[in-house]
Each structure stands twice: as structure tokens, then as C-alpha cells.
Amino acid sequence: MSELFDAIDALVASRSPLPAPAERKRLRQAHGLTLEEVAATLDVRRATVGAWESGKTEPRPPQREPYAHLLKQLARLYPSPTTPEGGTLPATPATTAPAAPSAPAEAAPSAPAAVPAPVPASATEPPSPAAAPRPARGSRRPGAPRAAANSPAPVRSSAYAHGPLLVLDADDGRHVTGYGTGGLLLDVPAKSLPALVEWTLAEARVGAEKLHASGKDADPLLVLTETACERYGLPAVLSDAERSAGRLPEGHKVIKLLERAGWQLTRRGLGPWARIYRPVMGGRRQCVQLCIPSWNALDDRAWGHAATLGPAELARVLGVYAHRVMTPVGSTAVSGLELMTALNPPTRASEPDQDGRRHSEHRPGSLGTQPVDPAPCEAIDGHPVLAHLPRFHIRGPEERLFEEAYDWARDLTDTECMQPHLVGIDVNLAFGAAANGAVVGLDSPPEHVTHPVFDPTVPGSWLVDLSHVDLSRVKVAKQWRDLQGDLLPSPFTPTGEQPEGPAWYATPTVAYAVELGYDVTPVEAWVRPRSGRFLDGWYKRLRDAYVTTMADLGIAEKLPPGRFLAAMDGHKRRDPELGIVLDAVKMTVKGGIGKLQEKARGGNWVPGQAWPALARPTWRPDIRATVISRARINMHRKMVALAAATGRYPVAVLSDCAVYTADGPSPLDVLPHDKDGKTVPGSFRLGVSPGMVKHEGTQDVLWGVEVLEQLSAEGRVANLARYIKTGEATARDNGE
């Protein structure tokens, strides 16, 4: 008989009611989920979920019931204006069985009432984090209805129903309002900073789910405006001494209040980004993070003018970033590094032992929990592994691995001087694209080998002489081609100069010499046999964030070249707040890779002694070198393919930007395209995806000649790629 009931349950589940296809997509995007995440959870392909959302196909058992359950949970979190909150969404036409009456909602824990911003009458679905309406500053002031601190919250199943963060702002009456994602407003009853931390953990329902099953949930983030700082006894701005120290002094009254309440601060103290925590008890993590923009928490190099935004607008910017990347935990560089660990945790729960208990164990494919010393050639100056070297010893290329981005330029030829325009093209997320598929060493130290046979599949550092590689004759697409080698930078040095003898290179650089058709004979190497594609998930997360934000700004994938260039014209002006998010995503990529080789900071450090960053498993200069090597090689490979097909050569290259002379002002005058929009195989392609290129800027050749003369007279490096975007030869590099 039980089998019969099971069969009936399965039959009912096979017709689980589903919302309309458009509503399925809205619910997924409202929670910041990607197609890949849903597909991986349901064990289907990404295209399958996309077909469900477009209405091309309908889910079948066994995925239909869990997919319906997912959508039901999301509908409770993000109810449609046309559907009562927590109610059942209308079924798709393909659903023939009537929807069962919804069960009575369970009582939610006591929490501040969520008051969503008004939705325009013409709206048919609630806003996603990116498109959320922004309540006006002052929309929750005396005279306006305020929710009681202990009133029930809307029925939502998630422990983090109010999103990953709140921006706190105080009015003249010293009432504090929390601005959340999606236009959410919360009344904040806490009167002191310790009480605010307690309230956040006990009632606010703020935080974010972990990004990996073996990871941990994101701590709630509280962003304090200047008025909120004053309300909780903090200075609106730091004094010169506090700014220099990067924190409040230990004896500050607010810090004493926290200590008396049993709260602790991390080593960085109460500064622009602060963690307030108590030791884990009963497996429960108790930690709240603060972000204080007026203390320069949001560096304008990454966050633009975000620190000057109103609380609602700032909540939107940080909320979109949190949903698409992660809840920020510091600068974009710090967040980029933390994202690597969040997506690829070092430990996991073991299988139950004989007593049924699980233990923490190493998770394969991660960097582990212990730091790994670099090879001597990979270590930066001052590292403890180099303590034996004489003081002031300068290491040359035969002693030090020097994989850096391009900074190369040359004089224009007579033919190039006759062309009217200089056109700059820039690679989208160049370091992100280089990280994708990169095979790097994992958790074991490097092994030293003498006279090794080069293996392009093994990550490591190789001492090899590449001075014999002649760029005037190289293999392109496995065919030998003759080029003007003196018009191309060397792929083996950041300066583009030809190497003069043996030097240390990362695996991708040596592999490219082989690809160009030349033999290599390494003298020695430091290799890492235990390897993997550690950064793949990191790249995919940031790629999706970048592409999705670009789509919100009107630049879709797979646009024809002409339409892509037109859509890119002024794209950030369409939504300046999303423009901030876009820049923050870019800086997360660059900063995250840079943090893999964080240098010593502070005046008390002595060369040869360890500094705090070395205690991290993610202090890995070898991984940084691999990514930068791949980015530089990718750039060179595209330049060679373009030169072989068209005879065009770059006149300047800076990191991911290349400048060419052209008869017209558009990248289309540099990159040939056929009627189908296809360009030279293996060369630069216009488009939004990482690794493709966009227009960086166009200037007159006469401007370029004048800039070169000006910079030479000032004794500055004359690289036109540094100034092609704005046309201003300023000391600060404004390139992306």
C-alpha cells in the first residue's frame, strides 16, 4: 500500500504548479542567482534552465518538484505586486492540475517591520536589486508612519530576508533608518553601538548565504553615514592622526563600550572597515562588519563617487555588488581575494566516523589552510626565504621571476605618421579572462628540478634562455609567417625589450615560445605537480557580475560590432550608480590578483622578517605571475594574429590597452570585419565578454607627437596608451 501512496505523491509532484516563465526569471534575478547556480543545484545544463525561463520547455521530473519548491521560496522573499505577499503565483498554461491551497504561513521571528518603497502603478513585477526604486531621503521621518521595533516582519523563509546589508542614516530626531536592497526600509531601535550589533544579529535578518556548500555565510554589513556615526558616538570624519593610523585609538569611549559588552575587534581595530565579533559558541558565528564611507572606506579609485551618495542610492550600489559578487569585506582588492576562498573553501566536513561525528578535513582543489613558501625566484625582495642574500643585493632576471603587465611603446614609422588617427582598444577584464582555465599550484610547496624537460601542463617557474626567439619569423596558426619583428614588443618582458640571456619565466610564457615555433631548454625549474584550476569559479562569478551589469546598462552579449560600439557610447551615464558597480567589479578582478603578492606595509618592518600577509594561504606570488603571464601572452598573441593578417602593428601597449594608427577614428578602422561581423581569427574581437575588446579612446596623430615631445622634455615615460582615453598627459594613470 505504501508503494501506491508513493506513486501518487510522485504523480502529483510531476505536475507541481509553476509561475509563468517571465516570473521564473524575475525571481531568480531578484535573489542574485545565476543560471549556472540554479543549473548546478538541479543537476541540469545552464541552457535547460534558460529554456524553462523563456517558456521553450517545461521542467520534468525529477527536477520539476525541487524547481517548483525553489520558486515558491523565492516568491515568498520577492512577492509580485499583483500577488498577495506569500501567496501562490499563477501557474503556467502547461500546468493542468489546479494549484493546491497555500498552507497557513508560519509565524516569523520578531523583527523590525520591512516597509518596501512604493511601486509604480504601471509596474508588473517587483524590482531586482539593480532596478530597485530608491526611496527618497527623508521618506521615513517624524509624521510619517513608522513600524514598531517588535512588529512582525513579512512572512519570508530566509534567515537573511532583509538582504546582505543596511545603510544606516539618522535624522534630526536621532531616529535611525536602515536602507536595504530593493528599496527596503527598516526602523533601527538600537541606541548604542553594542546594542546595534546585538540587534543586527538577533533581529535584523541581514546577511547572505554562503557561496559554496563547504563555506560560511556572509556576515551582515552595516554601512554608517556621517549622521549615523554621530548617533553612535563615532566621529563623522577621522582626525589626521586617526587617518594616519587607519583606526580610532584603543582608548576611545565606543571601543570601551564594546569591550564591556563582551565584543572584540580584529587586529585592524575600529577603522573604515571593522569586524566586531564574539568567539564562536555552540557552532554559532557572531560577527558584524562595519563600513564607514566618510572614513574613506570606499576608495574613489574603485568606488568613484559612491561615498557621496544618499543612503538609499548607496544601499542600491553596495547591494547590487553584494548580490552579484559578494558582500564587501574591505577594499575591492580585499573582497576579490576573499571571494577566492569563499568560492573554493580550504576545508569540508568529513564523512561520519564510527561515532557518527564529522570532522573538518582538507578540501581537494583548494589552497589549504597553511601558507606555502614561494620558490626563491618567486619571492619578492625582503621575503624571509631571501634573508641569506647580502644587504642591498639587486636580483637580475636570472635570479628573480618578473612577470608583469606590458608597458611598452615605440616611435611611429613614416607611414604611421601619415595616418590621421590614433585608436586605443582595451581588453575587457583582461586579468579575469587570463585567470579562466589557468592551471596553478595548490597546497604543496614547489619542487626544485635541474635540467628539466619543459612540460607546458605543469605550473611553475623555469630558468631558460629565450633570447633566440625571433619575432620576424613565427608560427601563426601552426604556419610560419614573416613579420616586422621590430614593430612588435617582445612577449617575454614587461618592457617589450628582447631578453639578453637566461631568465626566470612562468609556465605560460615558456609555452608561448614553443607555440611560436622555437625550442626551449630550461636550466632549472621550481615546479608544482599538485595543481588545479583554482580560479575558474572566481572568474565565472566575476564574469557574470560584469556581463549582467553591462546588460543592465544596455550592452548585451553578441551585438554586431557597430551596434556594440554605439551601445557603449555613454553607457555609464544611463545609470551612474550601476556604472559605479561596473568599475568596482573591474577593480575586484585587478585588486584580487594583486593581493596574491601583497607587500609589507608599515615603517616598522625589517627586510628578512615576515609580515602579516605571509600567514595567508592566499599569499601566492606564483599564481599572480601565472595570471599576468597569461594576460600578457594573450595580448601578444592577438597582436601577432592582427599583424600577420593586416600588416598593422601597435605603437604602444599598456597592460590591457593597445594603440594603433588608423585612417579613421573607430576601432572598426583598425580591426577588419566581414559582412557577418567576424574579424581575424585569433585577433581582437569587439564585444562585451571578458577577453574581447572595447574602444578605449581616439586622438589625432598630431596630438600623439606633441605628447611624446612634452613627456620627453619632462623626463617621463612616453607611452601613448596611458593617455589615449582622455587625451590629457597627466601624471596619474586613469586607464582601466
Side-chain angles (χ1 to χ4, degrees), residues 453-514:
V453 175
F454 176 68
D455 186 344
T457 66
V458 176
S461 301
W462 309 77
L463 181 61
V464 60
D465 189 351
L466 299 180
S467 60
H468 64 289
V469 176
D470 183 5
L471 294 180
S472 64
R473 184 163 178 76
V474 297
K475 277 188 177 180
V476 181
K478 299 183 179 180
Q479 293 182 347
W480 285 99
R481 301 293 296 270
D482 293 326
L483 301 175
Q484 293 180 264
D486 58 331
L487 299 184
L488 284 168
S490 168
F492 310 126
T493 63
T495 62
E497 300 295 326
Q498 186 74 0
E500 297 179 353
W504 285 98
Y505 302 100
T507 297
T509 303
V510 184
Y512 186 57
V514 176

Side-chain angles (χ1 to χ4, degrees), residues 39-378:
T41 302
L42 297 175
D43 196 22
V44 295
R45 294 186 301 113
R46 178 185 185 275
T48 301
V49 180
W52 295 346
E53 292 184 354
S54 65
K56 293 180 180 179
T57 62
E58 287 295 308
R60 295 181 175 182
Q63 283 83 15
R64 186 179 180 100
E65 183 178 16
Y67 184 53
H69 180 70
L70 168 66
L71 296 175
K72 183 178 180 181
Q73 297 291 87
L74 294 177
R76 290 178 176 174
L77 290 173
Y78 310 100
S80 170
T82 59
T83 304
E85 191 166 341
T88 303
L89 292 164
T92 62
T95 303
T96 56
S102 57
E106 297 179 0
S110 174
V115 183
V119 178
S122 59
T124 59
E125 57 182 39
S128 68
R134 299 177 286 282
R137 186 183 179 96
S139 63
R140 291 284 309 277
R141 294 295 180 256
R146 297 183 66 88
N150 59 356
S151 60
V155 177
R156 289 171 178 171
S157 61
S158 174
Y160 307 124
H162 294 154
L165 57 90
L166 291 175
V167 178
L168 305 186
D169 188 54
D171 60 18
D172 295 337
R174 299 182 68 77
H175 292 117
V176 180
T177 300
Y179 292 76
T181 58
L184 177 76
L185 295 177
L186 294 180
D187 190 32
V188 182
K191 306 299 184 185
S192 67
L193 191 58
L196 176 63
V197 176
E198 296 276 7
W199 171 83
T200 302
L201 294 172
E203 301 181 46
R205 299 167 72 190
V206 174
E209 299 285 349
K210 54 193 174 186
L211 298 179
H212 189 279
S214 297
K216 61 185 179 182
D217 292 354
D219 297 320
L221 173 64
L222 301 179
V223 184
L224 305 185
T225 64
E226 292 186 32
T227 58
C229 285
E230 294 171 350
R231 175 67 184 85
Y232 291 116
L234 299 170
V237 294
L238 295 177
S239 66
D240 290 342
E242 292 165 346
R243 192 180 305 111
S244 177
R247 67 187 74 187
L248 292 181
E250 295 295 331
H252 194 278
K253 60 181 181 180
V254 174
I255 296 179
K256 290 182 177 179
L257 282 176
L258 289 169
E259 291 173 347
R260 283 199 291 268
W263 293 103
Q264 301 179 33
L265 292 164
T266 58
R267 184 168 47 193
R268 62 184 174 183
L270 188 45
W273 291 91
R275 284 189 181 276
I276 303 174
Y277 71 98
R278 283 178 181 150
V280 175
M281 295 181 62
R284 180 170 174 263
R285 181 179 172 88
Q286 300 181 82
C287 185
V288 171
Q289 180 154 307
L290 301 185
C291 168
I292 306 178
S294 60
W295 294 7
N296 199 33
L298 302 176
D299 189 333
D300 60 2
R301 290 172 295 181
W303 292 100
H305 64 285
T308 66
L309 295 175
E313 291 77 13
L314 183 56
R316 180 186 181 228
V317 167
L318 295 177
V320 173
Y321 181 90
H323 280 292
R324 294 179 180 175
V325 180
M326 68 176 296
T327 305
V329 293
S331 66
T332 49
V334 171
S335 296
L337 193 69
E338 289 293 320
L339 182 63
M340 295 179 191
T341 303
L343 292 169
N344 207 331
T347 60
R348 67 182 181 185
S350 67
E351 293 296 324
D353 59 18
Q354 59 184 5
D355 297 324
R357 297 179 180 177
R358 295 180 183 269
H359 307 277
S360 177
E361 66 177 14
H362 170 68
R363 191 178 151 273
S366 73
L367 298 185
T369 59
Q370 299 300 317
V372 175
D373 279 340
C377 62
E378 297 164 350

Side-chain angles (χ1 to χ4, degrees), residues 402-406 430-435 438 440 491 493-494 506 508-509 535 589-590 593-597 621-636 655:
F402 195 64
E403 295 283 9
E404 300 293 341
Y406 267 131
F431 296 117
V440 300
T493 63
T509 303
L535 293 172
V589 174
K590 281 191 173 183
I593 296 299
K595 271 284 185 180
L596 291 167
Q597 186 180 274
D622 59 296
I623 296 180
R624 174 185 178 273
T626 296
V627 173
I628 294 179
S629 167
R630 283 170 58 92
R632 195 181 65 249
I633 295 307
N634 287 345
M635 195 79 175
H636 195 271
S655 186

